[in-house]
Amino acid sequence: MTPSASLDLALIGNGRLAMLVDAQGAIVWGCFPELDGDPVFSALVAGDAAAAGRYAVELADLAHVEQAYERNSAVLTTRLTDRHGGIVDIVDCLPRFAQNNRLFQPMLHVRQVKRVAGTPRITLVLAPTFEYGRVAAAPARGSNHLRYTLGTQTLRLTTDAPLAAIAEGNAFLLHDDVTLLFGADETVAESPREVGRRFVEETLLWWRAWVRRLAIPFEWQEDVIRAAITLKLNACDDTGAIVAAVTTSIPEAPDSGRNWDYRYCWLRDAYFVIEALNRLNATDTMEAYLRYVVNIAANGGDAPLQPMYRISGDPSLPEMTVPGLAGYRGMGPVRIGNDAWRQMQNDVYGSAVLAGTHVFFDARLTNLGDASLFARLEPLGERAFALHAEPDAGIWEYRGRARVHTFSAVMCWAACDRLARIARRLRLPDRAEAWQARADTVARFIDAQCFSPERNAFVGAVGSTELDASLLRLIDVGYVKPDDPRYVGTVEAIGRELKRGDFVFRYLEKDDFGVPTNAFVVCTFWYVNALAAIGRKDEARALFERLLAARNRHGLLAEHLDPATGEPWGNFVQTYSMVGIIEAAMRLSAPWEDAF
């Protein structure tokens, strides 16, 4: 029996592929050949009665399940125990390690099924789908493999498990360990067991070496490490793109219709990710992402910068509904593409320039920024200055209205401000003076039009009295100091009006889909940081601990939470949310030098 869908899931990946594993060890989500490809494993959004789109090891007479990541890695082990003392371990790994002087990350999933005790009886269920759940793939049997083909997509399972049992769905007694290699239609020269053993061992070594290089805070170390690994799994090494989440169409709230495809690179979200990883000394992700942004800007010519792009950098993301999938818990629609790519979101210019700023100031990097890169960034600043007082859809991507949003204006200011700093760094005084003058012009506009003396707070948009949680970020981009009375007033107002229980909403005014009913997770982390910055650190620490308790068993967070029950909703795993863990821990932790 297929269990009801939930977000009690673990994320595995290798920078090319990513998969979600449910609490019983079944893979219920995974796209091929890239993070934004066709979901070969689509059971998560196929409705609770779905039989296809999953990859499971079903243990007869199942009595108990345990599941955890191998320490400091993205390798997952699920232990199944039956009522008779039979025990099976499932090890899931997407290989990632150095081989032949380059990073090896094949389009391949390794699954080891190990007999630990007794004589367990298992059924291996491999039921991939194609064309977003429309076609259930039937296997063609080879000498030691099964092939699944539709059109140009062919996937292969190479295994030392009984092929007939897999193809026909028959149970068998597990007398010895078996290995299953599923992915690209490529011949495996060695035995599956040897390939699986080596790939898992090398992948564990790679991840643990990567974690050892992280500059983590003294407190909440395991939480930060898991968040960092998770962010790394959302980064595509091939292009440098960083996806907002690996899923599509997990609703923000039950039956809300707020079902969106997040498997793309939002320039804003990606900036937050690299900023968090940089703080941990993981600078390689930033360097790859900057190449991605520069290529987008170069290829776009005079076209406006979009909020998001495909992993490949392709700007076109037409949105459509998929008829073959019923939706998470049957709550459709399931969408592919995202029409927000057509929107004007003026803050993206600031996000792009902020991402590039690091390479002019961070001496750890191999290639530092120079006058040539500065010249590529300046047109983005020109556009930011031109648009700072123009209406847009804003950070929350309103579909039915446009306003002059305060956060967008602040990010336009940030673009001009950082270009002035870069110019000073490069000893270009004329350019520094010009960009500083523009930054000052934008700041005067924000101070005059976006702050409400009556409310003693910055408001969400020009002419509005509504609050917006994005304004908690004003100190993070350097627009105001934490002790600025206007910022303190904004934090206090947001705490009074946008907080429900422990959780902060993005906003509470009615939008295109009604009044929001669930809280946007990262906003509460922003509130934690703001509390700490204005001197309420004890309160911030207590709230941070309660936020950590809202994660699932693997330390992962979705996009939204039900403020009454704590149940996760929205696309999963949400990079914004995991960034929040890192930022808050870094801000709140006792320093290492005071720890002993």
Side-chain angles (χ1 to χ4, degrees):
M1 180 179 176
T2 304
S4 178
S6 82
L7 297 182
D8 187 15
L9 304 169
L11 174 67
I12 60 173
N14 66 357
R16 178 173 185 175
L17 301 175
M19 296 178 182
L20 293 172
V21 185
D22 76 8
Q24 295 187 353
I27 295 172
V28 295
W29 183 260
C31 299
F32 284 80
E34 298 286 357
L35 298 173
D36 59 358
D38 190 4
V40 169
F41 302 118
S42 56
L44 183 64
V45 293
D48 288 345
R54 57 194 293 267
Y55 182 10
V57 179
E58 296 181 345
L59 177 63
D61 299 322
L62 178 66
H64 181 67
V65 182
E66 298 174 29
Q67 190 178 67
Y69 286 108
E70 296 298 317
R71 184 173 178 269
N72 291 354
S73 82
V75 177
L76 184 75
T77 296
T78 305
R79 173 162 289 189
L80 308 177
T81 302
D82 67 25
R83 292 199 299 267
H84 316 291
I87 301 175
V88 173
D89 276 356
I90 309 166
V91 179
D92 284 306
C93 171
L94 285 161
R96 179 188 179 94
F97 54 90
Q99 180 171 278
N100 299 325
N101 295 316
R102 63 179 181 176
L103 183 63
F104 178 63
Q105 42 189 167
M107 194 174 79
L108 181 73
H109 169 258
V110 175
R111 168 160 276 186
Q112 298 172 312
V113 184
K114 302 180 177 182
R115 186 184 70 85
V116 178
T119 54
R121 185 168 174 264
I122 65 169
T123 304
L124 297 177
V125 178
L126 179 56
T129 62
F130 292 114
E131 295 186 356
Y132 285 84
R134 189 180 67 82
V135 178
R141 194 180 306 180
S143 56
N144 65 346
H145 66 268
L146 299 173
R147 298 173 80 236
Y148 302 81
T149 300
L150 182 69
T152 59
Q153 178 96 301
T154 298
L155 299 171
R156 178 190 293 225
L157 173 72
T158 302
T159 183
D160 49 15
L163 291 178
I166 300 172
E168 298 173 14
N170 297 327
F172 62 94
L173 294 174
L174 185 65
H175 294 291
D176 197 4
D177 300 351
V178 298
T179 300
L180 303 101
L181 310 174
F182 181 78
D185 186 26
E186 298 172 350
T187 300
V188 178
E190 302 172 78
S191 71
R193 176 176 296 196
E194 176 56 26
V195 171
R197 181 199 63 77
R198 181 166 63 88
F199 281 14
V200 171
E201 288 179 0
E202 292 285 349
T203 299
L204 286 169
L205 289 172
W206 190 93
W207 279 112
R208 286 166 181 168
W210 186 79
V211 168
R212 277 199 301 273
R213 295 192 296 270
L214 296 178
I216 59 174
F218 174 71
E219 296 181 89
W220 303 291
Q221 293 182 31
E222 289 82 3
D223 310 307
V224 169
I225 289 169
R226 181 53 50 199
I229 291 172
T230 303
L231 295 182
K232 190 67 174 172
L233 297 181
N234 283 267
C236 175
D237 293 282
D238 181 43
T239 66
I242 300 168
V243 300
V246 301
T247 59
T248 179
S249 302
I250 310 298
E252 296 178 8
D255 296 310
S256 64
R258 301 174 189 261
N259 299 15
W260 313 116
D261 192 348
Y262 275 15
R263 299 171 300 152
Y264 309 113
C265 184
W266 269 256
L267 302 188
R268 175 192 314 113
D269 300 44
Y271 165 68
F272 287 139
V273 170
I274 65 166
E275 181 76 4
L277 289 176
N278 280 357
R279 294 183 185 186
L280 300 177
N281 197 41
T283 58
D284 55 335
T285 304
M286 179 194 68
E287 293 181 273
Y289 173 68
L290 183 60
R291 290 193 295 271
Y292 176 80
V293 171
V294 169
N295 284 332
I296 282 173
N299 293 336
D302 294 330
L305 202 60
Q306 294 177 190
M308 88 283 278
Y309 296 81
R310 291 189 183 276
I311 289 173
S312 65
D314 185 342
S316 180
L317 288 161
E319 184 175 295
M320 62 191 75
T321 298
V322 178
L325 296 168
Y328 179 77
R329 300 186 189 174
M331 298 176 188
V334 172
R335 294 186 172 99
I336 59 173
N338 194 313
D339 272 347
W341 73 279
R342 306 177 191 274
Q343 292 183 349
M344 292 298 296
Q345 296 178 23
N346 297 334
D347 67 291
V348 298
Y349 295 96
S351 297
V353 173
L354 285 171
T357 301
H358 284 276
V359 300
F360 293 90
F361 293 90
D362 193 335
R364 296 171 297 175
L365 304 182
T366 304
N367 299 305
L368 295 178
D370 56 16
S372 174
L373 178 58
F374 177 66
R376 288 187 176 276
L377 294 178
E378 281 197 288
L380 302 180
E382 297 281 2
R383 189 66 64 89
F385 181 70
L387 294 173
H388 75 270
E390 295 297 317
D392 72 348
I395 182 175
W396 307 127
E397 302 183 342
Y398 294 107
R399 293 196 168 200
R401 68 174 185 230
R403 293 177 176 176
V404 180
H405 289 97
T406 303
F407 183 80
S408 296
V410 167
M411 291 299 284
C412 290
W413 167 86
C416 299
D417 174 78
R418 293 328 189 260
L419 286 168
R421 299 187 195 194
I422 294 169
R424 286 192 287 270
R425 178 79 166 184
L426 296 176
R427 295 179 178 150
L428 301 171
D430 291 345
R431 300 309 302 145
E433 184 178 351
W435 283 113
Q436 188 61 58
R438 290 171 181 169
D440 293 344
T441 297
V442 179
R444 286 193 293 271
F445 169 79
I446 296 168
D447 291 346
Q449 300 296 324
C450 302
F451 179 77
S452 169
E454 294 77 19
R455 303 214 64 188
N456 189 34
F458 286 96
V459 291
V462 173
S464 170
T465 60
E466 301 292 338
L467 297 171
D468 186 318
S470 65
L471 303 177
L472 296 168
R473 300 284 304 177
L474 295 185
I475 57 168
D476 298 281
V477 297
Y479 185 73
V480 294
K481 300 293 185 183
D483 59 356
D484 187 319
R486 299 174 302 167
Y487 181 71
V488 174
T490 302
V491 175
E492 292 174 345
I494 287 173
R496 287 192 307 269
E497 299 183 30
L498 296 188
K499 194 162 169 278
R500 297 291 182 271
D502 282 334
F503 303 113
V504 176
F505 281 63
R506 294 175 289 185
Y507 50 85
L508 282 172
E509 57 183 322
K510 186 176 180 180
D511 62 17
D512 318 309
F513 293 83
V515 177
T517 58
N518 281 344
F520 197 79
V521 174
V522 76
C523 294
T524 308
F525 285 114
W526 293 347
Y527 183 66
V528 166
N529 293 338
L531 289 177
I534 66 174
R536 295 160 60 179
K537 194 165 184 178
D538 289 344
E539 186 180 347
R541 287 177 65 93
L543 180 55
F544 181 50
E545 291 284 4
R546 294 196 297 274
L547 267 174
L548 292 178
R551 297 170 300 166
N552 74 6
R553 73 175 78 188
H554 300 295
L556 307 181
L557 287 162
E559 181 188 39
H560 283 72
L561 280 169
D562 183 321
T565 66
E567 184 178 7
W569 289 89
N571 282 303
F572 183 89
V573 177
Q574 179 74 6
T575 55
Y576 254 161
S577 303
M578 304 308 290
V579 164
I581 294 173
I582 294 171
E583 288 185 339
M586 297 289 281
R587 188 181 294 268
L588 295 172
S589 174
W592 278 91
E593 55 268 27
D594 295 342
F596 302 105

